[in-house]
Amino acid sequence: MPSNLNALLRYKTIDECLSNSFLECTIEVLISKCNEVLSEQQSNETNVSERTIRNDIRILRSDALGFNAPIIVKNGVYSYEVSGFSIFSRPVKEMELLIDIQTLLVEEFDNIQNPNLSHLIIALAELTKEKVPRKCAPPGYGIFAKKISNPNAKITYSRALNDYIYKEYHFKKFPKKKFLFFNVQQKPVLPEWHFIFDAICKNVPKKEV
């Protein structure tokens, strides 16, 4: 699992750098960008070591978190070998990892100033069946409200997340496909990493979610 919140923020930052074709991603540039993001998130100066960044690259390349990022290095410059690749679109690898991520986010809940986080934690809890503290729930959670379908409504984080969960999880969880004399239960598709990355950065302007 990710060792801590800082590790997730570094993975997100490194991915954004490697996805930027106009940026020469030397190890020094990656260190600088990660320091910049972490310092902003923690409101104090942060110094990430070269060893840490190289280890992050190793994890991104590996199957440890399911990223399998095609990272190459040429003349000291890192990039993705496959154009358009991003770990954002990779699904979380397995349920145990999802539980670990949920546990980490609950532990860091008070340290993350992001209105998306509570929506993510509740969605993860629905998938993992792991209980979470009441404080992690969005305002008004559990209160029945009539939903009015509006195809022109703005696609918010919570709406996109709920659409994903209900379409990819509930649809696959309950229906069973019959194949001859067997009932085949489909495994639920776990969330993509972008839902997690979009909920861990603080200082996100508050808006309707």
Side-chain angles (χ1 to χ4, degrees), residues 121-158:
I121 290 178
I122 292 300
L124 296 186
E126 184 173 351
L127 291 171
T128 64
K129 305 306 179 187
E130 297 287 322
K131 293 182 179 180
V132 296
R134 176 67 189 178
K135 70 175 184 178
C136 295
Y141 176 75
I143 299 176
F144 177 79
K146 184 177 180 181
K147 294 184 178 180
I148 301 176
S149 178
N150 179 5
N152 298 318
K154 183 179 180 180
I155 303 298
T156 61
Y157 174 89
S158 58

Short mmCIF file of all heavy atoms in Angstrom, two decimals, residues 121-158:
data_model
loop_
_atom_site.label_atom_id
_atom_site.label_comp_id
_atom_site.label_asym_id
_atom_site.label_seq_id
_atom_site.Cartn_x
_atom_site.Cartn_y
_atom_site.Cartn_z
N ILE A 121 -14.50 8.60 0.62
CA ILE A 121 -14.42 7.65 1.73
C ILE A 121 -15.71 6.85 1.87
O ILE A 121 -15.68 5.62 2.07
CB ILE A 121 -14.09 8.38 3.05
CG1 ILE A 121 -12.65 8.89 3.02
CG2 ILE A 121 -14.32 7.48 4.25
CD1 ILE A 121 -12.24 9.68 4.25
N ILE A 122 -16.86 7.51 1.75
CA ILE A 122 -18.13 6.80 1.84
C ILE A 122 -18.29 5.81 0.69
O ILE A 122 -18.77 4.68 0.87
CB ILE A 122 -19.30 7.80 1.85
CG1 ILE A 122 -19.29 8.60 3.16
CG2 ILE A 122 -20.64 7.08 1.69
CD1 ILE A 122 -19.42 7.77 4.41
N ALA A 123 -17.87 6.21 -0.50
CA ALA A 123 -17.96 5.31 -1.66
C ALA A 123 -17.06 4.09 -1.47
O ALA A 123 -17.45 2.97 -1.78
CB ALA A 123 -17.58 6.06 -2.94
N LEU A 124 -15.84 4.33 -0.95
CA LEU A 124 -14.93 3.21 -0.70
C LEU A 124 -15.49 2.27 0.36
O LEU A 124 -15.39 1.05 0.25
CB LEU A 124 -13.55 3.73 -0.26
CG LEU A 124 -12.77 4.57 -1.27
CD1 LEU A 124 -11.37 4.88 -0.73
CD2 LEU A 124 -12.68 3.88 -2.62
N ALA A 125 -16.11 2.86 1.39
CA ALA A 125 -16.69 2.05 2.46
C ALA A 125 -17.81 1.17 1.93
O ALA A 125 -18.00 0.04 2.37
CB ALA A 125 -17.21 2.95 3.58
N GLU A 126 -18.53 1.69 0.95
CA GLU A 126 -19.61 0.90 0.35
C GLU A 126 -19.04 -0.30 -0.40
O GLU A 126 -19.62 -1.39 -0.38
CB GLU A 126 -20.44 1.77 -0.59
CG GLU A 126 -21.63 1.03 -1.18
CD GLU A 126 -22.54 1.95 -1.98
OE1 GLU A 126 -22.34 3.17 -1.93
OE2 GLU A 126 -23.46 1.43 -2.64
N LEU A 127 -17.90 -0.09 -1.01
CA LEU A 127 -17.26 -1.18 -1.75
C LEU A 127 -16.58 -2.18 -0.82
O LEU A 127 -16.65 -3.39 -1.03
CB LEU A 127 -16.23 -0.61 -2.73
CG LEU A 127 -16.77 0.16 -3.94
CD1 LEU A 127 -15.62 0.83 -4.68
CD2 LEU A 127 -17.53 -0.76 -4.87
N THR A 128 -15.88 -1.67 0.19
CA THR A 128 -15.08 -2.54 1.06
C THR A 128 -15.87 -3.14 2.21
O THR A 128 -15.43 -4.11 2.83
CB THR A 128 -13.90 -1.76 1.66
OG1 THR A 128 -14.40 -0.71 2.52
CG2 THR A 128 -13.03 -1.13 0.56
N LYS A 129 -17.01 -2.52 2.54
CA LYS A 129 -17.83 -2.93 3.69
C LYS A 129 -17.11 -2.68 5.02
O LYS A 129 -17.45 -3.27 6.04
CB LYS A 129 -18.22 -4.42 3.60
CG LYS A 129 -18.93 -4.79 2.31
CD LYS A 129 -20.15 -3.92 2.06
CE LYS A 129 -20.83 -4.28 0.75
NZ LYS A 129 -21.91 -3.32 0.42
N GLU A 130 -16.12 -1.79 5.00
CA GLU A 130 -15.40 -1.40 6.21
C GLU A 130 -16.04 -0.14 6.79
O GLU A 130 -16.31 0.81 6.07
CB GLU A 130 -13.92 -1.13 5.89
CG GLU A 130 -13.15 -2.33 5.38
CD GLU A 130 -12.88 -3.34 6.46
OE1 GLU A 130 -12.60 -2.93 7.61
OE2 GLU A 130 -12.93 -4.56 6.18
N LYS A 131 -16.28 -0.15 8.09
CA LYS A 131 -16.91 1.00 8.74
C LYS A 131 -15.96 2.19 8.79
O LYS A 131 -14.75 2.03 8.89
CB LYS A 131 -17.34 0.63 10.16
CG LYS A 131 -18.46 -0.40 10.21
CD LYS A 131 -18.88 -0.67 11.65
CE LYS A 131 -20.03 -1.67 11.70
NZ LYS A 131 -20.45 -1.95 13.10
N VAL A 132 -16.53 3.39 8.74
CA VAL A 132 -15.75 4.62 8.84
C VAL A 132 -16.40 5.53 9.88
O VAL A 132 -17.61 5.43 10.13
CB VAL A 132 -15.66 5.36 7.48
CG1 VAL A 132 -14.92 4.52 6.46
CG2 VAL A 132 -17.04 5.72 6.97
N PRO A 133 -15.62 6.42 10.50
CA PRO A 133 -16.19 7.35 11.49
C PRO A 133 -17.25 8.25 10.87
O PRO A 133 -17.17 8.61 9.69
CB PRO A 133 -14.98 8.16 11.96
CG PRO A 133 -13.80 7.31 11.64
CD PRO A 133 -14.16 6.56 10.38
N ARG A 134 -18.23 8.63 11.65
CA ARG A 134 -19.30 9.49 11.18
C ARG A 134 -18.76 10.81 10.63
O ARG A 134 -19.32 11.38 9.68
CB ARG A 134 -20.28 9.77 12.32
CG ARG A 134 -21.40 10.73 11.99
CD ARG A 134 -22.35 10.16 10.97
NE ARG A 134 -23.31 11.15 10.50
CZ ARG A 134 -24.23 10.92 9.57
NH1 ARG A 134 -24.30 9.73 9.02
NH2 ARG A 134 -25.05 11.87 9.19
N LYS A 135 -17.67 11.31 11.22
CA LYS A 135 -17.14 12.60 10.80
C LYS A 135 -16.67 12.60 9.35
O LYS A 135 -16.52 13.66 8.73
CB LYS A 135 -15.97 13.02 11.70
CG LYS A 135 -14.71 12.18 11.52
CD LYS A 135 -13.55 12.72 12.35
CE LYS A 135 -12.26 11.94 12.09
NZ LYS A 135 -11.13 12.48 12.85
N CYS A 136 -16.43 11.40 8.81
CA CYS A 136 -15.93 11.30 7.43
C CYS A 136 -17.04 11.37 6.39
O CYS A 136 -16.77 11.40 5.19
CB CYS A 136 -15.15 9.99 7.25
SG CYS A 136 -13.64 9.88 8.23
N ALA A 137 -18.30 11.35 6.85
CA ALA A 137 -19.42 11.39 5.92
C ALA A 137 -19.69 12.81 5.43
O ALA A 137 -19.46 13.77 6.16
CB ALA A 137 -20.67 10.82 6.59
N PRO A 138 -20.18 12.96 4.20
CA PRO A 138 -20.51 14.30 3.68
C PRO A 138 -21.67 14.90 4.48
O PRO A 138 -22.46 14.16 5.07
CB PRO A 138 -20.93 14.02 2.23
CG PRO A 138 -20.46 12.64 1.93
CD PRO A 138 -20.45 11.90 3.22
N PRO A 139 -21.79 16.22 4.50
CA PRO A 139 -22.92 16.86 5.18
C PRO A 139 -24.25 16.35 4.62
O PRO A 139 -24.43 16.27 3.41
CB PRO A 139 -22.73 18.35 4.85
CG PRO A 139 -21.26 18.48 4.57
CD PRO A 139 -20.86 17.20 3.91
N GLY A 140 -25.15 15.97 5.52
CA GLY A 140 -26.46 15.50 5.09
C GLY A 140 -26.49 14.07 4.64
O GLY A 140 -27.51 13.58 4.15
N TYR A 141 -25.37 13.35 4.80
CA TYR A 141 -25.32 11.95 4.36
C TYR A 141 -26.34 11.12 5.14
O TYR A 141 -26.46 11.21 6.35
CB TYR A 141 -23.93 11.37 4.60
CG TYR A 141 -23.84 9.89 4.25
CD1 TYR A 141 -23.81 9.48 2.93
CD2 TYR A 141 -23.79 8.92 5.26
CE1 TYR A 141 -23.73 8.14 2.61
CE2 TYR A 141 -23.71 7.58 4.95
CZ TYR A 141 -23.68 7.19 3.62
OH TYR A 141 -23.62 5.86 3.31
N GLY A 142 -27.11 10.31 4.42
CA GLY A 142 -28.09 9.44 5.05
C GLY A 142 -29.47 10.06 5.12
O GLY A 142 -30.44 9.39 5.45
N ILE A 143 -29.57 11.36 4.78
CA ILE A 143 -30.87 12.02 4.78
C ILE A 143 -31.50 11.87 3.40
O ILE A 143 -30.89 12.20 2.39
CB ILE A 143 -30.72 13.52 5.12
CG1 ILE A 143 -30.11 13.68 6.52
CG2 ILE A 143 -32.07 14.22 5.02
CD1 ILE A 143 -29.85 15.11 6.88
N PHE A 144 -32.71 11.33 3.37
CA PHE A 144 -33.37 11.08 2.09
C PHE A 144 -33.65 12.39 1.37
O PHE A 144 -34.16 13.33 1.94
CB PHE A 144 -34.69 10.33 2.29
CG PHE A 144 -35.45 10.10 1.00
CD1 PHE A 144 -35.08 9.08 0.15
CD2 PHE A 144 -36.51 10.93 0.65
CE1 PHE A 144 -35.77 8.88 -1.04
CE2 PHE A 144 -37.20 10.73 -0.53
CZ PHE A 144 -36.84 9.69 -1.38
N ALA A 145 -33.28 12.41 0.12
CA ALA A 145 -33.57 13.60 -0.70
C ALA A 145 -34.01 13.15 -2.08
O ALA A 145 -33.40 12.25 -2.66
CB ALA A 145 -32.32 14.49 -0.81
N LYS A 146 -35.04 13.77 -2.57
CA LYS A 146 -35.53 13.42 -3.89
C LYS A 146 -34.58 13.95 -4.94
O LYS A 146 -34.21 15.12 -4.94
CB LYS A 146 -36.92 14.03 -4.12
CG LYS A 146 -37.55 13.62 -5.46
CD LYS A 146 -38.95 14.19 -5.59
CE LYS A 146 -39.57 13.78 -6.93
NZ LYS A 146 -40.92 14.35 -7.07
N LYS A 147 -34.17 13.06 -5.84
CA LYS A 147 -33.22 13.45 -6.88
C LYS A 147 -33.97 13.74 -8.17
O LYS A 147 -34.78 12.95 -8.62
CB LYS A 147 -32.18 12.35 -7.10
CG LYS A 147 -31.28 12.15 -5.90
CD LYS A 147 -30.21 11.12 -6.19
CE LYS A 147 -29.27 10.94 -5.01
NZ LYS A 147 -28.21 9.94 -5.28
N ILE A 148 -33.67 14.87 -8.76
CA ILE A 148 -34.29 15.26 -10.02
C ILE A 148 -33.26 15.12 -11.12
O ILE A 148 -32.18 15.70 -11.06
CB ILE A 148 -34.80 16.71 -9.95
CG1 ILE A 148 -35.82 16.86 -8.81
CG2 ILE A 148 -35.41 17.12 -11.29
CD1 ILE A 148 -36.31 18.28 -8.61
N SER A 149 -33.59 14.33 -12.11
CA SER A 149 -32.66 14.10 -13.21
C SER A 149 -32.57 15.35 -14.08
O SER A 149 -33.58 15.89 -14.54
CB SER A 149 -33.13 12.91 -14.05
OG SER A 149 -32.27 12.70 -15.14
N ASN A 150 -31.36 15.79 -14.29
CA ASN A 150 -31.14 16.95 -15.14
C ASN A 150 -29.93 16.68 -16.02
O ASN A 150 -28.79 16.78 -15.58
CB ASN A 150 -30.89 18.20 -14.28
CG ASN A 150 -30.64 19.44 -15.15
OD1 ASN A 150 -30.73 19.39 -16.38
ND2 ASN A 150 -30.31 20.55 -14.50
N PRO A 151 -30.15 16.33 -17.28
CA PRO A 151 -29.02 15.97 -18.17
C PRO A 151 -28.07 17.13 -18.41
O PRO A 151 -26.93 16.91 -18.83
CB PRO A 151 -29.74 15.57 -19.47
CG PRO A 151 -31.07 16.26 -19.41
CD PRO A 151 -31.45 16.26 -17.95
N ASN A 152 -28.52 18.36 -18.13
CA ASN A 152 -27.66 19.52 -18.35
C ASN A 152 -26.92 19.95 -17.08
O ASN A 152 -26.20 20.94 -17.09
CB ASN A 152 -28.49 20.70 -18.88
CG ASN A 152 -29.12 20.39 -20.22
OD1 ASN A 152 -28.47 19.80 -21.09
ND2 ASN A 152 -30.38 20.77 -20.39
N ALA A 153 -27.14 19.21 -15.99
CA ALA A 153 -26.50 19.57 -14.73
C ALA A 153 -24.99 19.38 -14.82
O ALA A 153 -24.49 18.51 -15.55
CB ALA A 153 -27.05 18.70 -13.59
N LYS A 154 -24.27 20.22 -14.09
CA LYS A 154 -22.81 20.13 -14.09
C LYS A 154 -22.34 18.81 -13.49
O LYS A 154 -22.88 18.34 -12.49
CB LYS A 154 -22.24 21.30 -13.27
CG LYS A 154 -20.72 21.35 -13.27
CD LYS A 154 -20.24 22.55 -12.46
CE LYS A 154 -18.73 22.61 -12.44
NZ LYS A 154 -18.26 23.78 -11.66
N ILE A 155 -21.36 18.19 -14.13
CA ILE A 155 -20.84 16.91 -13.64
C ILE A 155 -19.86 17.20 -12.51
O ILE A 155 -18.73 17.63 -12.74
CB ILE A 155 -20.13 16.12 -14.76
CG1 ILE A 155 -21.08 15.89 -15.93
CG2 ILE A 155 -19.62 14.79 -14.21
CD1 ILE A 155 -22.30 15.06 -15.58
N THR A 156 -20.30 17.00 -11.27
CA THR A 156 -19.44 17.22 -10.11
C THR A 156 -18.66 15.96 -9.80
O THR A 156 -18.94 14.88 -10.33
CB THR A 156 -20.28 17.62 -8.90
OG1 THR A 156 -21.18 16.54 -8.59
CG2 THR A 156 -21.10 18.88 -9.17
N TYR A 157 -17.70 16.10 -8.88
CA TYR A 157 -16.91 14.93 -8.45
C TYR A 157 -17.80 13.84 -7.89
O TYR A 157 -17.70 12.68 -8.27
CB TYR A 157 -15.88 15.36 -7.41
CG TYR A 157 -15.10 14.21 -6.80
CD1 TYR A 157 -13.92 13.76 -7.39
CD2 TYR A 157 -15.56 13.57 -5.66
CE1 TYR A 157 -13.22 12.70 -6.85
CE2 TYR A 157 -14.86 12.50 -5.11
CZ TYR A 157 -13.69 12.08 -5.70
OH TYR A 157 -12.99 11.01 -5.16
N SER A 158 -18.69 14.21 -6.96
CA SER A 158 -19.53 13.21 -6.30
C SER A 158 -20.46 12.52 -7.29
O SER A 158 -20.69 11.32 -7.20
CB SER A 158 -20.34 13.84 -5.17
OG SER A 158 -21.16 14.88 -5.65
#
